[in-house]
């Protein structure tokens, strides 16, 4: 990306903790899928980024209606882009989405983390175990997907930061 002022060396690039902070703080994500004819489809959704320091596993989890266009697109082509909603401090992750059974331990864990993350937005008291279980159940009652990242791009859209801090992460 030399034409954009991005240097060849790695001095000053963004570190993964910068990206992890944005994933943890972000509320609305954009998911882009591709239909069988090659047309892109992009929609906002709620999701949860699993940045498990214990296992080293990293994945984005989301669920949606079984009848959603994204489900049909993913059946034909699992390639996706997941992006945060910030257009100044941008993070865009490319990966492959896999449907996961509701009783999969990873899906169950993701459902609880998702419920905790969005409890306030759903007007649920996070100390109400029954309500939280209901929210987690809602997540699992839909089509559940795990996105395994392949690469990510991070860009800060401020003149002083764009070139020197543009970063690509590869898994």
């Amino acid at each position: 990306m030399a034409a954009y002022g991005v240097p060849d060396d790695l001095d000053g690039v963004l570190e993964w903790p910068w990206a992890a902070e944005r994933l943890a703080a972000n509320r609305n994500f954009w998911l882009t899928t591709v239909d069988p004819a090659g047309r892109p489809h992009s929609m906002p959704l709620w999701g949860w980024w699993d940045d498990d320091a214990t296992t080293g596993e990293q994945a984005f989890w989301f669920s949606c209606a079984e009848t959603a266009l994204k489900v049909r697109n993913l059946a034909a082509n699992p390639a996706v882009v997941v992006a945060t909603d910030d257009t100044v401090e941008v993070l865009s992750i490319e990966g492959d989405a896999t449907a996961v059974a509701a009783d999969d331990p990873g899906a169950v864990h993701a459902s609880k983390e998702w419920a905790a993350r969005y409890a306030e937005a759903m007007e649920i008291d996070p100390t109400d175990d029954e309500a939280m279980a209901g929210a987690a159940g809602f997540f699992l009652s839909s089509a559940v997907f795990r996105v395994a990242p392949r690469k990510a791009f991070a860009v800060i859209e401020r003149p002083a930061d764009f070139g020197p801090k543009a970063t690509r992460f590869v898994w």
Side-chain angles (χ1 to χ4, degrees):
M1 292 178 54
Y4 293 99
V6 177
D8 291 331
D9 63 49
L10 297 178
D11 187 38
V13 298
L14 298 166
E15 299 290 333
W16 181 254
W18 179 92
E21 286 174 15
R22 273 122 195 101
L23 290 165
N26 194 71
R27 177 176 163 178
N28 299 309
F29 294 87
W30 284 91
L31 178 77
T32 303
T33 60
V34 178
D35 74 10
R39 290 184 300 270
H41 171 69
S42 191
M43 292 295 292
L45 52 66
W46 287 354
W48 176 67
W49 176 258
D50 185 1
D51 203 354
D52 191 331
T54 305
T55 65
E57 175 120 358
Q58 295 171 311
F60 180 77
W61 291 84
F62 71 95
S63 70
C64 60
E66 299 272 352
T67 57
L69 177 58
K70 61 183 78 69
V71 173
R72 296 191 305 273
N73 289 350
L74 292 171
N77 182 349
V80 299
V81 172
V82 176
T84 57
D85 64 356
D86 190 330
T87 59
V88 175
E89 295 189 353
V90 178
L91 185 61
S92 177
I93 300 169
E94 296 178 9
D96 295 303
T98 303
V100 180
D103 62 353
D104 176 89
V108 172
H109 179 69
S111 74
K112 292 174 184 174
E113 294 292 341
W114 179 90
R117 176 186 191 101
Y118 295 105
E120 183 180 338
M122 293 184 288
E123 299 179 353
I124 294 173
D125 177 355
T127 64
D128 182 339
D129 292 341
E130 188 175 324
M132 292 300 288
F138 173 78
F139 180 92
L140 294 172
S141 69
S142 303
V144 177
F145 290 90
R146 178 187 179 278
V147 176
R150 284 185 279 116
K151 62 183 167 183
F153 297 94
V155 176
I156 298 177
E157 284 288 336
R158 289 189 286 270
D161 294 325
F162 181 82
K165 296 201 179 295
T167 305
R168 180 180 65 179
F169 302 97
V170 179
W171 281 260

